[in-house]
Amino acid sequence: MSRQIRMIQPADIPAVRDIYAPYVAETSVSFEYEPPTLEEFTARVERTLKRYPWLVCEENGEIIGYAYAGALGVRKAYQWSVELSIYVRQDRRRQGLGKYLYQTLLELLTAQGYIGAYGAVTQPNPASDRLHRKMGFERVGVWKDAGYKLGAWRDVGWYEKFLLPRTDNPSEPVSWQELPRERVQEICGKGYI
């Protein structure tokens, strides 16, 4: 079995969208009601990659999971904080892939200079709650009845983890594309899997 974590490529987008679609259509994990079209999903990936990493886990040529970061908020003061997302193919859950994807993503974000990482978890979701706790996140709050999906109001639990010390006058984070290519390859190729 050959596995690797790497940055997403255009050819990966249909498989990544196919991983996401059942979470939208069949669960309350995502608050979207309809799976995005391939065109919509491609635009999301392209927007994200301008600044943030979008990783895929590939096994024997198949994409089996992915994780990415995005802005926590649009105001300038949020620039040191990121919101994380992670999805694993339904038949590959509970095999430790989420942990490995998160480890790699968090290391890249740290190298970029981000300070705070945040995860929003629709409740109930014991597997995602466990993953965040294992990765050193602290649950910091709950938005009660924040969304309505599949016939019920859903809470959203919020998790945070500080990647770097909070300092006065922090340097602005850089795009993952501004990191030396060798550094990105080193982080992605650490052999977590």
Side-chain angles (χ1 to χ4, degrees), residues 35-187:
T37 66
L38 186 56
E39 183 179 88
E40 291 170 321
F41 205 83
T42 299
R44 290 179 192 184
V45 171
E46 289 171 352
R47 274 193 311 271
T48 299
L49 287 175
K50 289 178 182 175
R51 180 132 197 101
Y52 305 100
W54 189 309
L55 302 174
V56 296
C57 181
E58 180 182 31
E59 179 181 85
N60 299 324
E62 290 185 42
I63 305 300
I64 59 175
Y66 68 94
Y68 66 94
L72 180 65
V74 296
R75 305 285 191 262
K76 184 83 169 161
Y78 285 116
Q79 70 181 307
W80 294 275
S81 300
V82 290
E83 184 177 348
L84 310 179
S85 293
I86 184 167
Y87 293 91
V88 174
R89 205 169 73 188
Q90 298 284 338
D91 64 333
R92 302 312 297 267
R93 295 177 62 213
R94 294 184 175 32
Q95 297 179 12
L97 299 176
K99 177 184 171 193
Y100 300 123
L101 280 161
Y102 250 20
Q103 282 178 317
T104 305
L105 182 61
L106 291 169
E107 192 166 338
L108 275 170
L109 293 167
T110 302
Q112 288 178 253
Y114 289 102
I115 294 172
Y118 297 84
V121 179
T122 303
Q123 300 297 299
N125 190 336
S128 190
D129 290 332
R130 268 192 312 275
L131 172 64
H132 283 87
R133 284 192 305 275
K134 278 184 187 177
M135 297 303 302
F137 284 77
E138 178 184 345
R139 188 168 175 163
V140 293
V142 175
W143 289 353
K144 300 294 286 175
D145 296 334
Y148 185 83
K149 187 162 180 199
L150 299 178
W153 287 100
R154 309 292 175 165
D155 294 349
V156 176
W158 278 92
Y159 288 85
E160 75 178 0
K161 178 178 178 141
F162 290 103
L163 307 175
L164 293 168
R166 290 160 288 188
T167 62
D168 292 336
N169 301 313
S171 298
E172 288 189 20
V174 299
S175 163
W176 72 272
Q177 297 179 42
E178 294 176 67
L179 296 175
R181 193 68 41 211
E182 304 78 34
R183 181 72 176 125
V184 173
Q185 291 170 344
E186 172 194 349
I187 292 169

